[in-house]
């Protein structure tokens, strides 16, 4: 027999206080009719038996003819009526609920991983989101990658989402003459030029996309490439060419971002005059809308106005689109307007590489933690990105410092971790993904075993009274799941909002998110702890649960006796039950 707490609410209702109930042994509390409202609260069966279930983890069994078990046994629904990630299904069967990874993983797709077999290997390895970087490759190439990911989902049962990352209009390098990368050595002289060169171009010469580059730099300036992965000092200016000596050698990658420092401070005046979304970005955004990508990440966001403008544009171009906008935090301006940018966006990315080129290095960790916490409070998914396992571009194992860095991001409860060059053009993309996965699972397990439930305040994010009730229900359901050591939380959601509220609470158990649409299912694959399913369901919660139990049991993903707490954004309720 299930136990439920239900709220049936109008759009507005006066504040009320519940009467206190004496402890009794009755099997049902009476319905409470509140004066001047249509709200009722029903709790079944008795509170005393509910409290007993906390210690026994087994709820009182009901009449087999009318209880959930009787209904489930009568159902004859095919197992194919529910869609779930094939890897998650196997993981649940083999290792149970507690083995599932909560932190989501994003892989940037490049020459090393663009084939169908390579994409499948990443999906099997735990990739939840495939990122395409519009700084590299043609639109035809990106279109091919998108088609392969969609085919992978259709044929193999995955729900891999696609994130398109815009180039932005900051100053950056060219394409290195077609080379995948170039190594620099200490003391070498390289030329940065705005001139267009033929083929072959002069040795150690790099194009710069900004025509005023030679006029803006001064001899003695420090030039940082890709957030400081390579450093140069400006030694001479000759017309459109700028001669620079390498002071910190490293690997140059095509289209890498360039930043100038002078006398220990960032030179940002010229960048401030450039638009956040360039003309090329708008064409890429049109491409993303047409291809039906799930997320668009906007580079170098300076204000909420940019996000609002883009959302209006998307709404006008594709009125039925559920495309989400991710704001990349990678500039000083982003940090100045942090809260308003996150509020306006559908999520945020801590792009630590470029951010580390614009603020002192020692400030990056605290900036990361601040962004992660603020996103959690505002119920926005957050991605930690850049240089997580940079050494694995060339080597099969990471440094211990990199593993510690990844562990800290997981410990901060970021929604997702992202590989960039490691998966796009590195020599060991699958191994790099395996490291992220194993570290995430280990830190999450440690967190649960140590009962490290952080006391983070989760302020109300909704503006309507009904939204506040949804938040209270999700907060209560997550707390109950921890206290009762529930095996799983079930959430039935058409929009994904209530699933995100549960994810924000970071409960110990996994969250099974059931939704009716494929696009919502893919979007939920970015958020912490959510295992998204596609399932047709109705407004009848008992019928939904019976159907779900039948389907999941048939596939061996749950078993009789498992303790489940269920919520729904169609009927605001909490139900607690053992799987029949």
């Amino acid at each position: 027999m299930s136990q439920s707490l239900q709220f049936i609410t109008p759009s507005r209702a006066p504040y009320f206080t519940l009467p206190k109930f004496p402890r009794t042994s009755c099997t049902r509390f009476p319905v409470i009719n509140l004066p001047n409202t249509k709200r009722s609260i029903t709790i079944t069966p008795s509170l005393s038996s509910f409290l007993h279930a906390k210690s026994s983890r087994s709820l009182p069994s009901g009449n087999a003819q009318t209880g959930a078990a009787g209904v489930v046994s009568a159902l004859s629904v095919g197992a194919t009526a529910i869609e779930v990630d094939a890897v998650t299904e196997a993981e649940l069967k083999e290792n149970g609920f507690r083995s599932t990874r909560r932190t989501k993983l994003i892989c940037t797709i490049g020459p090393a991983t663009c084939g169908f077999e390579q994409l499948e290997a990443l999906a099997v390895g735990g990739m939840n989101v495939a990122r395409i970087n519009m700084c590299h490759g043609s639109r035809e190439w990106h279109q091919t990658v998108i088609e392969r990911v969609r085919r992978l989902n259709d044929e193999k049962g995955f729900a891999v989402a696609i994130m398109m990352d815009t180039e932005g209009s900051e100053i950056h390098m060219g394409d290195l003459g077609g080379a995948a990368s170039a190594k620099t050595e200490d003391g070498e002289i390289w030329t940065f030029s705005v001139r267009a060169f033929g083929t072959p171009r002069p040795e150690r010469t790099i194009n710069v996309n900004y025509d005023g580059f030679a006029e803006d730099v001064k001899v003695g300036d420090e030039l940082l490439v890709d957030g400081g992965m390579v450093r140069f000092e400006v030694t001479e200016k000759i017309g459109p060419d700028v001669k620079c000596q390498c002071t910190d050698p490293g690997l140059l990658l095509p289209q890498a971002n360039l930043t100038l420092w002078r006398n220990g401070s960032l030179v940002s005046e010229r960048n401030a005059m450039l638009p956040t979304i360039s003309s090329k970005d708008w064409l890429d955004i049109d491409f993303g809308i047409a291809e039906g990508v799930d997320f668009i990440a906007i580079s170098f966001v300076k204000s909420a106005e940019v996000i609002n403008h883009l959302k209006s544009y998307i709404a006008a171009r594709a009125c039925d689109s559920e495309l989400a906008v991710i704001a990349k935090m990678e500039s000083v301006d982003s940090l100045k307007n942090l809260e308003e940018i996150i509020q306006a966006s559908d999520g945020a990315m801590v792009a630590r590489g470029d951010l580390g080129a614009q603020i002192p290095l020692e400030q990056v960790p605290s900036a990361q933690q601040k962004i992660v916490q603020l996103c959690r409070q505002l119920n926005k998914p957050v991605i930690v990105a850049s240089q997580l396992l940079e050494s694995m571009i060339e080597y099969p194992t990471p440094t211990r410092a990199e593993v510690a860095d990844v562990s800290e991001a997981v410990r901060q409860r970021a929604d997702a971790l992202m590989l960039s060059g490691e998966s796009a053009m590195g020599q060991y993309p699958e191994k790099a993904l395996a490291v992220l996965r194993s570290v995430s699972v280990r830190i999450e397990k440690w967190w649960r075993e140590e009962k490290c439930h952080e006391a983070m305040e989760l302020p109300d994010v909704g503006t309507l009274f009904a939204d506040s009730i949804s938040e209270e229900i999700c907060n209560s359901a997550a707390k109950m799941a921890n206290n009762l050591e529930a095996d799983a939380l079930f959430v039935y959601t058409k929009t994904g909002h209530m699933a995100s509220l549960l994810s924000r609470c970071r409960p110990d158990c996994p969250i099974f998110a059931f939704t009716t649409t494929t696009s919502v299912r893919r979007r939920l694959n970015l958020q912490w702890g959510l295992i998204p399913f596609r399932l047709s369901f109705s407004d009848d919660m008992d019928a939904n649960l019976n159907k779900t139990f039948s389907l999941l049991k048939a596939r061996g993903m749950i078993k009789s006796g498992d303790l489940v707490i269920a919520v729904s954004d169609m009927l605001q309720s909490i139900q607690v039950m053992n799987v029949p």
Side-chain angles (χ1 to χ4, degrees):
M1 180 184 294
S2 70
Q3 306 190 36
S4 66
L5 172 64
Q6 294 185 347
F7 298 84
I8 304 171
T9 67
S11 59
R12 295 191 62 183
Y15 175 80
F16 66 94
T17 303
L18 295 180
K20 294 183 178 180
F21 293 107
R23 289 182 180 270
T24 69
S25 59
C26 64
T27 58
R28 178 181 294 270
F29 282 121
V31 174
I32 307 162
N33 294 315
L34 301 170
N36 303 321
T37 74
K38 295 181 179 180
R39 181 180 291 122
S40 66
I41 299 178
T42 305
I43 306 176
T44 60
S46 68
L47 183 60
S48 59
S49 60
F50 175 80
L51 293 173
H52 173 69
K54 179 174 180 178
S55 58
S56 66
R57 284 181 51 80
S58 178
L59 297 177
S61 59
N63 188 314
Q65 300 301 317
T66 59
V71 180
V72 170
S73 61
L75 285 176
S76 56
V77 185
T80 55
I82 191 169
E83 294 180 11
V84 59
D85 186 298
V87 174
T88 301
E89 180 176 0
E91 192 173 62
L92 283 167
K93 288 179 180 178
E94 293 172 9
N95 303 314
F97 294 101
R98 298 288 166 172
S99 67
T100 58
R101 169 176 44 87
R102 314 299 200 263
T103 308
K104 301 305 179 74
L105 305 179
I106 304 172
C107 295
T108 302
I109 307 304
T113 48
C114 61
F116 183 81
E117 293 78 12
Q118 296 157 324
L119 288 168
E120 183 177 3
L122 291 178
V124 170
M127 175 178 67
N128 302 108
V129 180
R131 171 182 176 249
I132 55 174
N133 187 355
M134 303 309 289
C135 290
H136 310 284
S138 64
R139 292 195 186 98
E140 292 72 24
W141 184 88
H142 291 301
Q143 187 176 41
T144 300
V145 171
I146 292 172
E147 290 172 353
R148 287 172 180 169
V149 174
R150 295 284 189 248
R151 178 183 152 206
L152 178 69
N153 289 341
D154 293 339
E155 295 181 4
K156 305 293 184 177
F158 292 100
V160 177
I162 297 173
M163 176 183 295
M164 190 192 82
D165 199 329
T166 63
E167 181 177 311
S169 57
E170 300 295 287
I171 301 173
H172 56 80
M173 294 169 21
D175 62 1
L176 299 178
S181 62
K183 282 190 174 182
T184 63
E185 300 294 340
D186 191 25
E188 285 182 343
I189 301 297
W190 286 68
T191 300
F192 291 78
S193 178
V194 298
R195 289 188 290 160
F197 293 96
T199 304
R201 72 177 62 196
E203 187 179 8
R204 295 176 189 164
T205 300
I206 296 174
N207 278 118
V208 179
N209 73 323
Y210 168 51
D211 290 338
F213 180 73
E215 287 77 17
D216 285 351
V217 302
K218 296 181 179 180
V219 173
D221 283 353
E222 190 175 28
L223 181 63
L224 275 63
V225 180
D226 198 11
M229 297 307 295
V230 185
R231 291 172 183 258
F232 293 90
E233 182 181 338
V234 177
T235 58
E236 187 179 8
K237 293 166 54 174
I238 307 174
D241 299 341
V242 178
K243 300 289 185 180
C244 300
Q245 183 178 28
C246 180
T247 56
D248 280 340
L251 196 66
L252 297 175
L253 301 177
Q255 306 295 323
N257 180 255
L258 300 176
T259 50
L260 281 173
W261 285 70
R262 182 176 300 150
N263 300 323
S265 299
L266 177 71
V267 180
S268 59
E269 291 83 1
R270 182 58 61 182
N271 278 350
M273 298 175 63
L274 298 174
T276 299
I277 304 177
S278 67
S279 56
K280 176 184 180 299
D281 291 339
W282 285 114
L283 294 175
D284 289 338
I285 289 167
D286 286 339
F287 166 78
I289 294 172
E291 292 297 321
V293 301
D294 302 288
F295 305 96
I296 291 182
I298 302 299
S299 299
F300 302 102
V301 176
K302 300 169 185 174
S303 68
E305 183 181 0
V306 173
I307 300 296
N308 292 328
H309 180 49
L310 174 58
K311 283 189 167 184
S312 298
Y313 181 79
I314 293 172
R317 297 281 301 203
C319 57
D320 296 329
S321 175
E322 295 176 336
L323 199 160
V325 177
I326 305 296
K328 295 177 67 177
M329 303 300 175
E330 51 191 339
S331 69
V332 174
D333 292 318
S334 297
L335 298 182
K336 289 178 181 177
N337 304 304
L338 188 59
E339 185 166 351
E340 66 177 41
I341 291 174
I342 294 175
Q343 277 280 25
S345 69
D346 300 306
M349 181 189 298
V350 189
R352 304 178 308 172
D354 290 318
L355 184 61
Q358 298 211 3
I359 65 174
L361 292 175
E362 64 272 15
Q363 294 181 16
V364 174
S366 58
Q368 172 181 315
Q369 184 168 3
K370 181 179 180 181
I371 296 169
V372 170
Q373 289 181 346
L374 188 56
C375 284
R376 170 113 173 259
Q377 290 173 338
L378 298 177
N379 195 32
K380 309 285 185 175
V382 59
I383 304 159
V384 174
S386 304
Q387 303 164 359
L388 288 173
L389 300 172
E390 191 79 7
S391 67
M392 292 192 75
I393 292 177
E394 298 185 77
Y395 302 103
T397 57
T399 67
R400 302 320 183 248
E402 287 171 335
V403 172
D405 179 40
V406 171
S407 300
E408 176 61 16
V410 176
R411 191 196 64 77
Q412 291 175 0
R413 303 299 190 94
D415 287 86
L417 306 176
M418 191 178 91
L419 295 175
S420 298
E422 303 97 327
S423 59
M425 43 80 69
Q427 298 183 44
Y428 308 97
E430 292 175 41
K431 288 186 176 181
L433 181 61
V435 169
L436 284 193
R437 181 173 183 171
S438 62
V439 172
S440 297
V441 170
R442 181 65 191 91
I443 297 301
E444 290 164 359
K445 181 181 179 183
W446 168 82
W447 193 275
R448 291 191 298 272
E449 289 174 347
E450 296 298 320
K451 301 293 182 184
C452 300
H453 301 130
E454 76 275 54
M456 175 181 284
E457 272 194 45
L458 297 177
D460 291 345
V461 292
T463 55
L464 300 176
F465 185 74
D467 294 335
S468 297
I469 291 179
S470 295
E471 291 173 31
E472 290 295 337
I473 287 175
C474 289
N475 293 342
S476 299
K479 186 175 181 180
M480 290 170 66
N482 290 342
N483 291 341
L484 298 175
E485 297 183 356
D487 293 298
L489 277 157
F490 282 15
V491 54
Y492 295 85
T493 175
K494 292 183 177 179
T495 64
H497 178 62
M498 209 152 183
S500 71
L501 290 173
L502 280 178
S503 172
R504 179 173 79 141
C505 296
R506 303 297 195 255
D508 282 351
C509 64
I511 305 165
F512 286 20
F514 302 97
T515 186
T516 56
T517 59
T518 301
S519 58
V520 172
R521 180 185 170 214
R522 288 197 305 265
R523 284 208 323 275
L524 292 178
N525 221 3
L526 178 64
Q527 297 190 37
W528 189 97
L530 297 182
I531 300 175
F533 297 76
R534 192 173 79 87
L535 174 71
S536 297
F537 52 77
S538 66
D539 291 343
D540 185 336
M541 274 295 288
D542 287 336
N544 293 336
L545 286 166
N546 294 332
K547 178 180 179 180
T548 306
F549 288 156
S550 177
L551 294 172
L552 295 182
K553 285 178 71 176
R555 298 177 74 145
M557 298 177 68
I558 61 174
K559 62 184 185 299
S560 296
D562 288 338
L563 183 61
V564 170
I565 297 176
V567 300
S568 166
D569 60 11
M570 297 163 296
L571 177 64
Q572 293 176 316
S573 64
I574 301 175
Q575 292 179 269
V576 184
M577 67 200 70
N578 289 106
V579 176

